[in-house]
Amino acid sequence: MRLVLVLGDQLSADLSALQKADQENDLVVMAEVVAEASYVPHHPKKIAFTFMAMRKFAQSLRDAGWRVAYTALDDPENTGSITGELIRYAAQNDAAGVVYTEPGEWRLIQELADMPLRSHVLPDTRFIASHSDFENWAEGRKQLRMEYFYREMRRKTGLLMDGDKPEGGKWNYDHDNRKPAPDQVDFDGPLRFSPDNAVMDLVAERFSDNFGDLQPFWFAIDSDQANAQLDHWIDAGLPKFGDFQDAMLQDQPFLYHSLISFYLNAGLLDPLDVCQRVEAAYHAGKAPLNAVEGFIRQIIGWREYMRGIYFLEGPAYTARNGLGHERALPDMYWGAPTRMNCVAQAVKQTKEHAYAHHIQRLMVTGNFALLAGIDPAAVHKWYLAVYADAYEWVEAPNVIGMSQFADDGIIASKPYISSGNYIHKMSNYCGSCAYRVQDKTGEKACPFNLLYWHFLDRHRDRFSGNPRMGNMYRVWDRMDAEKRTTVLTEAEAWLTKLDQGDAV
Ligand SMILES: Cc1cc2nc3c(=O)[nH]c(=O)nc-3n(C[C@H](O)[C@H](O)[C@H](O)COP(=O)(O)OP(=O)(O)OC[C@H]3O[C@@H](n4cnc5c(N)ncnc54)[C@H](O)[C@@H]3O)c2cc1C
Ligand code: SF4
């Protein structure tokens, strides 16, 4: 007999390791271990979600006839690591070896490879592009732009294709998906499910020092519930998803977003099935093309592309720091007071829900970290810890590449930076802020306005030749010299206060 390892983000009945295993003889191993629960200080909701979903999945395997060895976190014999548990169960059962599906993180891939047990590693087939698909696509290209990869994925899956042409004549309807915040949201957010109380008690006892609220817990914890959430959103959220995809509203954390990334990444939902159901809603006339194309692009485009980059670039990717940013992560990211309402809003809902939507991650917390020159490794660890959907294969390229431009432009052709204007246009945050978004200098000047020019000025050598940024430098250069000096002096003073730990 062999052991069959199922990790906490591999909760799919069609996992390659389960497909290859022998139900009669093999023993499935699942383990809640302190090493995985604490290599970053994960949000308590993320830990609770993972353990609850693991326990339910283990039960569903038993119901289907599998033998499952499940180690709970507080099991006295728990060795504390995945490899420790495999070695322990192998000795107890005289196992001939271990079958497992490749993990989504270099750290664990290496740990398992170093384990003194005979192993059979299988590819993770729950993605649309295999490693070799991505490598073949990337081969010989000067730039790895997501848009071209996405078109290949459209052709490969047949999603939104009209023969060999894109549905509606265009590949990408992003242009229609940038409406500012609506006055009211007529979607009541995700379905709310009941937690497993034993796990709630365990996480409350063991992880209460971690940043984040455990209560109220509302996540789906099995695939039936996750599918119910998807159906609910397709009916009520999808039609306006595209229009308001980039919008942000005070005290409205969810808007028209699907809230399925946790379920997709843990294996409770299948990405292709999700996209096919969303496409069916379009063909049934229930949702417009801009919403459906925009959503499908996020999944078969961005999600697959990020994974491709993570595996293509190798384990050193997370240590990249192309812009030489060294500032410590300010305490406001862990909930310390800040006068910047946009940052306070994004952090508050992150603390409450282990969730923030894409534009909050990219254009508020990410944008601020980039403008302020924060060490990308610290930013990466923060995102990995605080979001329930954060696994390194998807989080690291989004943070190191897309958000912090620390990979020197593998993912983004220019840094995602903006002054306060963008946040003002896309949200209603500025109206309740202690700073004034209209002020470019002065006591109440929006810090994003000051830091935007500070960033461009300090990275002039790196970016002034970038064709997509020439305009920004022309505006800066046309500014009165005295005003430029004032902006830079005030930005420096503001950063000094930030470094001193003042509530800026
Ligand atoms: C700095 C930063 C860090 C991020 N970290 C993560 C992360 O750790 N895990 C994660 O799953 N996503 C991450 N994202 C992408 C995106 O923010 C989340 O996938 C999304 O907010 C999840 O919420 P949702 O399910 O409501 O998504 P929706 O807005 O409804 O989008 C639908 C789905 O598209 C996929 N998707 C959308 N954008 C991306 C993207 N850029 N990369 C990969 N998948 C995408 C997700 O699976 C998501 O569920 C990050 C983005 C940024 C800018
Ligand atoms: S004024 Fe500036 S800091 Fe305040 S909410 Fe607007 S963008 Fe954020």
Side-chain angles (χ1 to χ4, degrees):
M1 63 81 79
R2 296 169 307 174
L3 304 180
V4 183
L5 174 66
V6 175
L7 295 166
D9 60 350
Q10 297 184 336
L11 309 179
S12 316
D14 60 358
L15 188 74
S16 53
L18 289 168
Q19 296 294 316
K20 275 276 186 287
D22 170 2
Q23 208 181 56
E24 292 281 295
N25 297 307
D26 292 343
L27 176 69
V28 174
V29 173
M30 296 181 69
E32 299 168 4
V33 291
V34 81
E36 297 307 310
S38 57
Y39 66 91
V40 287
H42 299 289
H43 194 297
K45 268 200 175 79
K46 180 182 183 185
I47 302 174
F49 163 65
T50 309
F51 288 176
M52 288 181 204
M54 284 172 70
R55 290 183 185 196
K56 275 209 137 184
F57 188 71
Q59 190 51 49
S60 72
L61 290 178
R62 285 188 200 103
D63 294 345
W66 290 92
R67 291 191 307 134
V68 181
Y70 191 97
T71 312
L73 191 75
D74 51 4
D75 185 328
E77 290 184 37
N78 193 331
T79 55
S81 71
I82 298 286
T83 48
E85 286 307 277
L86 287 170
I87 291 167
R88 180 165 78 90
Y89 284 118
Q92 272 172 17
N93 295 278
D94 200 17
V98 189
V99 183
Y100 63 90
T101 297
E102 180 187 72
E105 187 166 348
W106 289 112
R107 176 187 60 83
L108 201 51
I109 290 176
Q110 195 55 50
E111 253 176 67
L112 288 170
D114 293 344
M115 182 174 59
L117 292 175
R118 188 179 310 151
S119 303
H120 184 185
V121 193
L122 295 158
D124 193 340
T125 50
R126 298 171 303 161
F127 291 89
I128 291 151
S130 65
H131 294 333
S132 57
D133 286 344
F134 195 83
E135 283 155 14
N136 290 341
W137 172 77
E139 174 88 48
R141 282 174 194 263
K142 274 213 195 104
Q143 293 187 319
L144 302 181
R145 293 290 161 251
M146 193 286 299
E147 182 63 28
Y148 298 103
F149 170 75
Y150 164 57
R151 292 179 192 181
E152 292 249 334
M153 293 300 102
R154 287 273 293 276
R155 290 191 189 97
K156 177 170 183 182
T157 57
L159 286 161
L160 293 180
M161 293 300 293
D162 181 5
D164 60 355
K165 301 251 161 19
E167 180 76 25
K170 284 199 298 182
W171 290 101
N172 183 318
Y173 291 84
D174 216 16
H175 189 68
D176 303 335
N177 289 356
R178 292 181 193 144
K179 294 202 174 60
D183 291 336
Q184 276 199 321
V185 179
D186 52 10
F187 172 52
D188 55 4
L191 294 181
R192 284 150 163 85
F193 300 92
S194 305
D196 170 337
N197 288 326
V199 174
M200 290 298 276
D201 292 345
L202 176 74
V203 174
E205 194 190 312
R206 297 285 295 270
F207 301 99
S208 58
D209 289 346
N210 290 15
F211 168 84
D213 302 344
L214 180 57
Q215 300 272 11
F217 186 95
W218 48 265
F219 288 17
I221 53 173
D222 65 26
S223 66
D224 287 346
Q225 294 178 350
N227 277 295
Q229 161 60 18
L230 177 64
D231 287 338
H232 162 73
W233 173 78
I234 288 177
D235 274 354
L238 173 63
K240 291 193 187 159
F241 168 80
D243 288 357
F244 300 116
Q245 201 178 337
D246 290 358
M248 298 174 281
L249 269 182
Q250 180 97 7
D251 296 324
Q252 291 273 0
F254 308 127
L255 290 131
Y256 294 96
H257 291 275
S258 65
L259 280 290
I260 60 159
S261 50
F262 340 109
Y263 312 141
L264 273 169
N265 297 351
L268 302 181
L269 293 175
D270 173 70
L272 186 58
D273 175 61
V274 167
C275 291
Q276 285 166 342
R277 281 153 69 182
V278 167
E279 183 188 33
Y282 165 68
H283 289 305
K286 290 183 181 161
L289 186 54
N290 68 309
V292 169
E293 186 282 315
F295 180 82
I296 287 176
R297 174 161 25 90
Q298 307 308 316
I299 307 238
I300 67 168
W302 280 112
R303 185 171 184 271
E304 295 282 332
Y305 168 85
M306 290 301 186
R307 179 172 183 265
I309 294 284
Y310 179 74
F311 281 101
L312 192 70
E313 289 300 314
Y317 186 76
T318 52
R320 294 193 67 160
N321 189 357
L323 297 178
H325 284 170
E326 303 291 349
R327 179 162 272 113
L329 189 76
D331 290 347
M332 67 176 92
Y333 279 76
W334 300 109
T338 168
R339 298 165 70 220
M340 292 182 285
N341 186 41
C342 51
V343 175
Q345 282 285 314
V347 172
K348 173 172 171 272
Q349 76 170 71
T350 300
K351 180 170 176 288
E352 284 172 4
H353 300 291
Y355 176 82
H357 70 67
H358 186 72
I359 291 299
Q360 292 172 307
R361 296 187 208 195
L362 186 64
M363 299 312 291
V364 179
T365 43
N367 185 16
F368 179 80
L370 180 56
L371 294 179
I374 295 169
D375 175 3
V379 182
H380 153 60
K381 283 194 188 121
W382 183 79
Y383 278 94
L384 192 57
V386 301
Y387 292 113
D389 57 20
Y391 300 90
E392 200 175 89
W393 64 266
V394 56
E395 175 275 334
N398 268 297
V399 174
I400 297 290
M402 182 186 245
S403 162
Q404 299 303 297
F405 207 82
D407 66 357
D408 293 306
I410 294 174
I411 287 178
S413 54
K414 71 173 186 57
Y416 278 94
I417 49 167
S418 79
S419 67
N421 262 346
Y422 176 84
I423 295 171
H424 182 47
K425 190 174 101 195
M426 299 311 293
S427 78
N428 61 357
Y429 293 155
C430 300
S432 318
C433 188
Y435 293 104
R436 285 167 48 92
V437 71
Q438 305 86 328
D439 292 5
K440 313 288 180 226
T441 54
E443 206 183 315
K444 291 203 153 190
C446 166
F448 284 83
N449 293 345
L450 295 171
L451 297 178
Y452 176 77
W453 295 120
H454 191 269
F455 175 94
L456 287 175
D457 187 70
R458 72 179 188 265
H459 291 301
R460 177 181 275 278
D461 289 350
R462 178 73 178 72
F463 294 121
S464 59
N466 182 320
R468 297 191 61 203
M469 296 175 76
N471 221 10
M472 302 172 184
Y473 280 99
R474 278 190 287 281
V475 174
W476 177 232
D477 291 342
R478 275 204 302 268
M479 220 181 269
D480 179 81
E482 201 177 320
K483 178 141 184 228
R484 272 184 291 166
T485 307
T486 308
V487 167
L488 294 179
T489 313
E490 290 190 7
E492 284 291 343
W494 194 90
L495 287 169
T496 303
K497 283 203 261 170
L498 178 76
D499 292 342
Q500 286 164 353
D502 294 0
V504 283

